[in-house]
Amino acid sequence: MKLEIGNFHVKDIVFGDKTSFIDGILTINKKEALDFVMQDERITEAELYIVKPGDKVRICPVKEAIEPRVKLNGDPLFPGFTGELCPAGNGRCHALKGTSLLVVGKHWGGFQDGLIDMSGEGAKYTYYSQLKNIVLVADTNEDFEKREQQKKNRALREAGHKLAEFIAMCVKDLEPDEVETFELEPVTKRSEDVQKLPSVVLVLQPQSQMEEMGYNDELYGWDTNHMVPTFMHPNEILDGAIVSGSFMPCSSKWSTYDFQNFPTIKKLYSEHGKTINFLGVIMSNLNVALEQKNRAAQFVAQIAKSLGADGAIVAEEGYGNPDADFIACLVALEDAGVKTVGLTNECTGRDGNSQPLVSLDEKADAIVSCGNVSELIELPPMETVLGELQALARDGLSGGWANDEILGPSVREDGSIIMENNAMFCGDQVVGWSIKTMKEF
């Protein structure tokens, strides 16, 4: 497979008469964009904003982030999800770089939603404060789940994915600033020089725990709860084969933008043929029952061993119950003779004294921590709020609360907040661009 991504670096975003990209300036016709969104009968109201790094803006409840892209051959950006099922990972797409489309609830939030500060102390906790963001704030007629703590957010998520492609259409026929090329030879057809290098496989454990459909990440439009561990070409992940779901405390979440730009995949690509032989990706899953967890780990180890992997990197989306899948996978790989490193966050409790992972094993002796979901964060008021800040306290966001007998409410009368890192939108970045580090006392 050969994937080419033509990059258009966005210097600024403005609203104007015609959606276009000229000299680094992305201009969006707001009315056309909103009319496109409102074609979905489930969307009852919508507004579009532009926010940039340094803006005194707080965004909550954030549900999704997508990089605006368009495929040159006319295939849907997210096959099986926003359009017909077709292969991903081959051919060429054009991408608007340095920007994301954020999907935000106008009123209702939930367990899986998060918060972004575009400036101040809070900006350091999430990658998305560094981007120029197109922000879709909308509400839906999905009354059945508005007051539910756990939401599928189906209409809002689909609206964001489709709008990201709609906006990117303006660069479909333009010449990009640069073209990134991602190509791997078939595993058994590689040169002798490459075959001599240590062989490495990346194991991904996207969110797939929910047995009821509609919450989990989707692979080619297929709920990942149905999946067994599968060998995939890394280009498929970078090219829209998988979209983020609507489950998991938000700092642990992998957005669709994260999948499209997966830093660990790109780093492994950069070392392929130099220091390693990058075999590809084993797309695994997260399960509920112990037998299911052990079965998936057995599948992963067998695939890795059959591929001839000398080493593996395992990354989990989530924490708590998924830790059992994560550790089981590491142990199974080590037992198969595959040296393994894990990427995860941890949950040590607000006092830092709890066991960081639900399950541990002495064979899991090389783990990179990407942050503590329980870390308390206190932030001053922000000039502008997009969405509804009260959702952090009222709607069961994983890092917020209505009231605490010691700490009080998460959202105070003056607009300042206190919350756990849990609610920072994709804050821990287990996908590979976390800037967090350890601190000794």
Side-chain angles (χ1 to χ4, degrees):
M1 283 187 178
K2 181 180 180 180
L3 173 65
E4 294 181 323
I5 302 178
N7 294 327
F8 295 79
H9 295 286
V10 178
K11 299 175 184 176
D12 199 6
I13 310 174
V14 297
F15 290 126
D17 294 335
K18 181 181 179 181
T19 300
S20 62
F21 184 84
I22 301 173
D23 296 331
I25 309 301
L26 174 62
T27 301
I28 299 172
N29 183 312
K30 182 194 281 194
K31 183 179 185 306
E32 285 183 358
L34 289 174
D35 286 347
F36 177 78
V37 170
M38 295 300 294
Q39 290 177 15
D40 188 331
E41 295 180 353
R42 296 170 298 177
I43 306 294
T44 56
E45 51 183 324
E47 186 55 86
L48 212 58
Y49 302 89
I50 297 167
V51 298
K52 304 165 189 176
D55 287 352
K56 296 178 180 178
V57 175
R58 178 165 289 155
I59 312 170
C60 179
V62 186
K63 299 174 181 292
E64 172 65 301
I66 310 107
E67 181 170 77
R69 291 184 182 182
V70 61
K71 295 190 178 182
L72 270 59
N73 65 358
D75 284 350
L77 185 56
F78 302 104
F81 183 77
T82 57
E84 64 179 84
L85 180 63
C86 57
N90 222 9
R92 183 160 170 173
C93 70
H94 282 175
L96 292 166
K97 305 303 291 186
T99 184
S100 79
L101 193 151
L102 299 177
V103 181
V104 182
K106 184 167 184 177
H107 299 298
W108 304 101
F111 181 73
Q112 65 291 317
D113 299 336
L115 179 143
I116 296 172
D117 271 5
M118 293 301 297
S119 64
E121 177 69 11
K124 72 182 183 183
Y125 288 97
T126 173
Y127 177 80
Y128 294 90
S129 64
Q130 304 172 41
L131 300 178
K132 304 169 191 71
N133 295 302
I134 306 157
V135 184
L136 173 64
V137 181
D139 200 6
T140 79
N141 64 5
E142 296 164 318
D143 295 334
F144 65 94
E145 71 174 12
K146 282 184 177 177
R147 296 182 184 275
E148 295 292 329
Q149 185 187 35
Q150 195 71 50
K151 296 176 176 62
K152 297 178 182 179
N153 288 321
R154 188 73 187 191
L156 293 178
R157 288 165 53 217
E158 286 184 10
H161 289 85
K162 291 176 180 178
L163 181 59
E165 184 176 20
F166 179 81
I167 290 172
M169 285 292 292
C170 69
V171 297
K172 184 175 182 180
D173 299 321
L174 302 183
E175 191 63 30
D177 299 323
E178 65 185 14
V179 177
E180 291 182 280
T181 301
F182 300 94
E183 186 174 16
L184 280 182
E185 312 91 332
V187 173
T188 60
K189 303 292 185 182
R190 298 179 182 176
S191 69
E192 186 176 343
D193 288 345
V194 172
Q195 296 278 17
K196 288 179 180 179
L197 296 170
S199 295
V200 177
V201 69
L202 175 63
V203 181
L204 301 182
Q205 296 178 314
Q207 244 332 295
S208 46
Q209 283 180 283
M210 293 294 281
E211 294 177 337
E212 181 179 338
M213 300 299 95
Y215 295 103
N216 298 308
D217 297 352
E218 295 191 29
L219 187 65
Y220 286 107
W222 199 39
D223 193 297
T224 48
N225 184 260
H226 293 315
M227 186 181 68
V228 295
T230 302
F231 182 63
M232 293 184 66
H233 197 290
N235 289 6
E236 295 178 272
I237 289 91
L238 297 176
D239 194 35
I242 187 165
V243 300
S244 177
S246 192
F247 178 69
M248 189 36 58
C250 206
S251 72
S252 303
K253 190 183 178 87
W254 298 350
S255 73
T256 298
Y257 183 100
D258 292 337
F259 284 113
Q260 291 172 295
N261 292 278
F262 218 104
T264 303
I265 289 178
K266 291 187 175 182
K267 183 62 177 177
L268 289 168
Y269 251 119
S270 72
E271 294 299 317
H272 177 67
K274 300 175 184 176
T275 61
I276 63 168
N277 176 14
F278 179 26
L279 297 172
V281 175
I282 300 175
M283 188 65 70
S284 188
N285 54 348
L286 299 169
N287 303 279
V288 177
L290 184 59
E291 181 184 1
Q292 295 168 356
K293 297 174 187 293
N294 291 333
R295 184 181 295 113
Q298 183 176 307
F299 265 106
V300 169
Q302 180 276 125
I303 295 171
K305 195 66 176 176
S306 296
L307 288 169
D310 300 305
I313 299 171
V314 179
E316 71 166 321
E317 181 185 6
Y319 70 94
N321 186 291
D323 292 343
D325 302 76
F326 177 68
I327 295 298
C329 192
L330 265 69
V331 170
L333 285 163
E334 289 282 346
D335 285 344
V338 181
K339 293 297 182 183
T340 306
V341 174
L343 303 178
T344 183
N345 54 14
E346 52 187 301
C347 181
T348 66
R350 293 179 189 171
D351 60 3
N353 289 324
S354 296
Q355 181 170 299
L357 300 176
V358 166
S359 176
L360 290 170
D361 190 283
E362 62 183 8
K363 293 177 183 176
D365 58 1
I367 294 179
V368 178
S369 172
C370 300
N372 176 18
V373 302
S374 307
E375 180 185 355
L376 276 177
I377 299 169
E378 194 166 1
L379 299 171
M382 194 66 74
E383 282 186 11
T384 302
V385 173
L386 297 184
E388 188 176 38
L389 184 58
Q390 192 57 39
L392 174 66
R394 182 193 64 216
D395 298 336
L397 268 67
S398 49
W401 53 85
N403 193 41
D404 181 276
E405 60 183 20
I406 299 174
L407 300 173
S410 272
V411 180
R412 297 158 176 160
E413 290 185 5
D414 65 352
S416 63
I417 59 173
I418 184 168
M419 54 179 262
E420 291 183 356
N421 175 53
N422 250 323
M424 276 294 173
F425 182 72
C426 300
D428 295 331
Q429 290 298 340
V430 174
V431 294
W433 44 32
S434 176
I435 61 169
K436 295 180 180 178
T437 187
M438 306 302 290
K439 188 174 181 179
E440 292 187 9
F441 294 91

